[in-house]
């Protein structure tokens, strides 16, 4: 047993390993209950006596989450695109996630060479919605679509409103998302995508689902064309503002 350091007239310093060895030698766990040895000496525990100096240290990194903000997303794996809006009580990012964006305002009318004015907003303050997700094992990555031009405060509570209205989401899916999905889908995939809201709601009722979140997986090459087609459609529809 390692040498112990005496302190006082009736005390003794021991490590946890030494206490366990002592308990085994006397056949009793009283030292852990009373803090004293059989000879009456008190025990002061010092865990530093059990320290181990490692010969090798292996370091690893555990990535809890990754937030990627981009106008041109690229993926290396299949990703599921929702075939109808996913409505929740709160916006997908309901709390500040410590990510900011800078929004640049257009030049003032009549002053094309004026200095650009920009403002910084929290990502959670920008109106956004669910667009897709990719799942692998226990890990899930969500894809959100943000609308910086819709940044505004609620007229009554004076807080930023980050939810996209239901009717606007429905219009977005019917006029932009579904047409873009059908544009990149193969002939064999077309029968499984492109349902309107009424058809999806009917299918959900048949299955007894309370909340339908129908989606369809697209491979990386299709996703790139899908996002390009979204930009093309938005640039051509009448309510788009350049």
């Amino acid at each position: 047993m390692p040498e112990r350091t005496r302190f006082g007239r009736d005390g003794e310093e021991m490590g946890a390993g030494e206490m366990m060895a002592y308990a085994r030698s006397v056949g009793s766990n009283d030292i852990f209950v009373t803090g004293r040895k059989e000879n009456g000496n008190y025990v002061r525990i010092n865990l530093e006596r059990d320290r181990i100096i490692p010969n090798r240290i292996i370091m690893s990194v555990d990535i809890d989450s990754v937030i990627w903000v981009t106008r041109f997303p690229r993926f290396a794996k299949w990703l599921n695109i929702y075939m109808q809006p996913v409505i929740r009580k709160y916006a997908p990012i309901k709390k500040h996630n410590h990510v900011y964006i800078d929004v640049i305002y257009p030049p003032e009318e009549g002053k094309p060479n004026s200095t650009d004015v920009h403002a910084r907003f929290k990502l959670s303050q920008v109106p956004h919605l669910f667009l897709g997700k990719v799942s692998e094992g226990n890990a899930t990555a969500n894809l959100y679509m943000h609308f910086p031009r819709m940044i505004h405060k609620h007229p009554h509570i004076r807080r930023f409103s980050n939810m996209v209205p239901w009717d606007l989401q429905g219009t977005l899916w019917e006029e932009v998302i579904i047409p873009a999905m059908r544009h990149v889908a193969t002939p064999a995939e077309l029968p499984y995508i492109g349902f309107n809201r009424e058809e999806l709601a009917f299918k959900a009722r048949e299955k007894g689902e309370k909340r339908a979140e129908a989606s369809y997986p697209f491979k990386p090459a299709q996703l790139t064309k899908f996002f390009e087609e979204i930009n093309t459609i938005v640039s051509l529809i009448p309510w788009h503002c350049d």
Side-chain angles (χ1 to χ4, degrees), residues 131-142:
L131 182 59
K133 68 176 181 179
V134 56
S135 299
E136 184 173 343
N138 294 327
T140 300
N142 293 300

Side-chain angles (χ1 to χ4, degrees), residues 51-64:
R51 66 182 182 274
I52 298 175
I53 300 177
N55 297 322
R56 182 184 180 191
I57 299 177
I58 300 176
M59 300 181 64
S60 63
V61 178
D62 180 16
I63 300 177
D64 180 70

